[in-house]
Amino acid sequence: MRVSHVQTPAHRTNGGAEREVYRWWKEEDLKLRTHTRERERDKEEALVIMLHRCAFQTIASPALTQREVEFTKSAWLAGLRPDQRGAQQLREVKVEFPLLSRDVVCVRCGGTIVTAAIACELVEPSPYRPKQGMLEFSVRQPYTERDSSAKAAELRTLTAFLERLIKSGGVVDTESLCMLPGRRVWSVSVDVTVLNDEGNVTDVVVWATVAVLLHYRRPELTIRGSSVIVHPPHEREPVPLSVHHAPLSFSFVVTMDSSDRNRLSRQHKDNKELLEVVVDPTVAEATAAASSVVVAVNAEGQVCSVSKSEGCCIHLNELNHCMETAALLAPRVLSLIREAMAAHDVRRQEALQGQFLWAQKRSGVGRDVTEPESTKKVRAET
């Protein structure tokens, strides 16, 4: 008589335990593999960040020392600036459009270098604003090992200042960017990159943004019913953006607060050369200053924005002096932008003519054609 093997409750318990152990082992193995992949990915990202920092380490500004700050303060007491500029004098400003296209600009103010690039595309509008286009700004800067953790917060503050000055200030007519209400609008994005910061980066960022907005041309469109046809530049001339006014910002720093100024005036009664407010501060001057204020003025002399950072109080006379100085400097900077735009248009026209010069020589366009002698005789006889 054969007896078949019957699994007892003890056997069933042992088999269930083995399955539980196997399931636990599989879960732990999966966790270990996932953790290993995450560590490898973190190593790759760290390597990329390290290489990125090394690539841009050459343009990093040197760290300020206490001696430089003290030297700046002593120069202010003597009525001088470390770079031998006047109190209302800007550093050398250069505006350049490096490419033949109108979508990139490079602005230099001393050692501070900023580039701005603009682009636009047709998108669906926001459901809350179906008849208005979109205008976006972004400011970035290559990080280095010498940059502090507050650099990201400074860039966010600078981006918010751009949006408040240009977007909320009505510089660009967003309603003119609407092509089909509720269907198609232009989305304009301006990407600003700070290549080197040696002081007064706020003003240079604003100047670059205004310059690229003034010089940019969007493609021409043809609307047929519900369809939109985008024409390339060689078919139809692009259309400039509707810019109402051009606000330009100027940064000022207050050298010392009123209590220190009064104390020094009592000690040195004959010293009347003390600099109280200076424009276009460098990194050393911004560090040594007691407070700073940014005034945005357009070409008509209208004050568009006033922004003050942390620091001592600013008297009304000093604020009026800042606004008057900004009103004098705004037309000069705007004229530099206009001259750069005109020079770039001439360069574009010369490049366009050079592209078709070979065709003109081949077809004889513009060549002086002399009439043959036989034709002249026949015409004289008749």
Side-chain angles (χ1 to χ4, degrees):
M1 180 177 180
R2 299 180 61 183
V3 180
S4 61
H5 178 73
V6 180
Q7 189 176 12
T8 61
H11 286 86
R12 289 195 296 268
T13 304
N14 293 335
E18 291 177 358
R19 286 193 296 270
E20 291 294 333
V21 171
Y22 180 77
R23 188 182 300 109
W24 173 83
W25 178 80
K26 292 291 290 183
E27 292 176 356
E28 292 296 322
D29 183 71
L30 180 61
K31 291 180 181 179
L32 181 60
R33 291 175 182 270
T34 305
H35 181 66
T36 304
R37 286 195 297 267
E38 291 178 355
R39 290 185 60 185
E40 292 177 354
R41 186 169 59 252
D42 293 339
K43 289 181 180 179
E44 293 177 357
E45 293 178 356
L47 180 61
V48 170
I49 293 174
M50 183 179 65
L51 293 176
H52 182 76
R53 288 180 176 179
C54 294
F56 290 97
Q57 190 174 2
T58 56
I59 63 174
S61 300
L64 292 176
T65 60
Q66 187 64 25
R67 293 183 178 180
E68 292 176 336
V69 175
E70 293 177 356
F71 175 76
T72 302
K73 292 182 178 180
S74 61
W76 286 341
L77 293 176
L80 302 173
R81 300 182 69 175
D83 52 3
Q84 300 180 359
R85 284 185 294 152
Q88 302 179 6
Q89 183 180 358
L90 298 174
R91 290 173 293 178
E92 185 180 4
V93 180
K94 294 182 179 179
V95 182
E96 181 185 4
F97 295 90
L99 305 180
L100 290 179
S101 58
R102 297 188 178 97
D103 55 354
V104 178
V105 66
C106 179
V107 179
R108 301 170 182 262
C109 182
T112 303
I113 307 174
V114 174
T115 62
I118 187 173
C120 67
E121 60 177 347
L122 284 175
V123 297
E124 294 184 0
S126 172
Y128 302 101
R129 296 179 179 178
K131 296 183 179 181
Q132 292 185 4
M134 300 180 182
L135 190 61
E136 299 178 354
F137 300 94
S138 64
V139 182
R140 59 180 180 176
Q141 180 178 0
Y143 289 96
T144 61
E145 295 180 353
R146 300 176 181 178
D147 292 333
S148 61
S149 58
K151 178 63 70 174
E154 294 177 2
L155 295 179
R156 288 194 297 268
T157 303
L158 188 53
T159 304
F161 178 75
L162 267 182
E163 292 182 351
R164 184 172 64 253
L165 177 63
I166 297 179
K167 187 175 180 179
S168 302
V171 175
V172 179
D173 186 10
T174 55
E175 293 184 358
S176 64
L177 300 177
C178 178
M179 300 295 103
L180 285 176
R183 294 187 179 182
R184 284 291 180 268
V185 297
W186 284 111
S187 175
V188 180
S189 59
V190 181
D191 297 328
V192 183
T193 304
V194 181
L195 299 180
N196 194 24
D197 182 10
E198 292 191 5
N200 196 17
V201 69
T202 302
D203 296 351
V204 186
V205 166
V206 173
W207 299 347
T209 304
V210 171
V212 77
L213 287 174
L214 289 174
H215 198 46
Y216 182 68
R217 303 290 187 270
R218 65 168 180 82
E220 180 62 285
L221 301 179
T222 298
I223 301 176
R224 295 178 180 176
S226 59
S227 63
V228 179
I229 302 175
V230 182
H231 297 281
H234 64 272
E235 289 184 0
R236 291 193 181 181
E237 188 69 20
V239 182
L241 299 178
S242 179
V243 180
H244 294 308
H245 62 105
L248 301 175
S249 66
F250 296 92
S251 298
F252 300 86
V253 293
V254 180
T255 57
M256 60 185 65
D257 55 4
S258 58
S259 60
D260 294 341
R261 191 181 302 113
N262 295 333
R263 179 174 54 82
L264 289 175
S265 62
R266 288 193 299 268
Q267 294 178 358
H268 307 280
K269 296 182 180 180
D270 298 335
N271 187 9
K272 298 181 180 180
E273 299 179 352
L274 173 64
L275 295 181
E276 299 180 357
V277 179
V278 296
V279 68
D280 186 17
T282 59
V283 177
E285 290 177 334
T287 306
S291 181
S292 63
V293 60
V294 180
V295 180
V297 182
N298 56 16
E300 290 76 17
Q302 300 174 350
V303 179
C304 303
S305 174
V306 176
S307 176
K308 178 187 175 301
S309 64
E310 298 179 357
C312 67
C313 299
I314 299 179
H315 292 280
L316 183 60
N317 296 332
E318 297 174 346
L319 186 59
N320 290 333
H321 175 71
C322 294
M323 290 188 290
E324 292 175 358
T325 305
L328 293 175
L329 296 176
R332 303 178 187 176
V333 177
L334 188 59
S335 64
L336 292 176
I337 296 175
R338 299 287 187 186
E339 292 175 0
M341 292 168 56
H344 184 255
D345 289 337
V346 172
R347 188 157 59 93
R348 279 175 52 88
Q349 190 67 23
E350 293 177 354
L352 185 62
Q353 293 177 358
Q355 290 179 357
F356 298 97
L357 184 60
W358 64 272
Q360 294 178 4
K361 292 181 179 179
R362 185 174 182 180
S363 59
V365 177
R367 187 184 301 172
D368 295 335
V369 180
T370 58
E371 191 175 9
E373 294 294 336
S374 59
T375 307
K376 292 181 179 179
K377 292 180 180 180
V378 172
R379 183 177 299 177
E381 292 176 357
T382 56

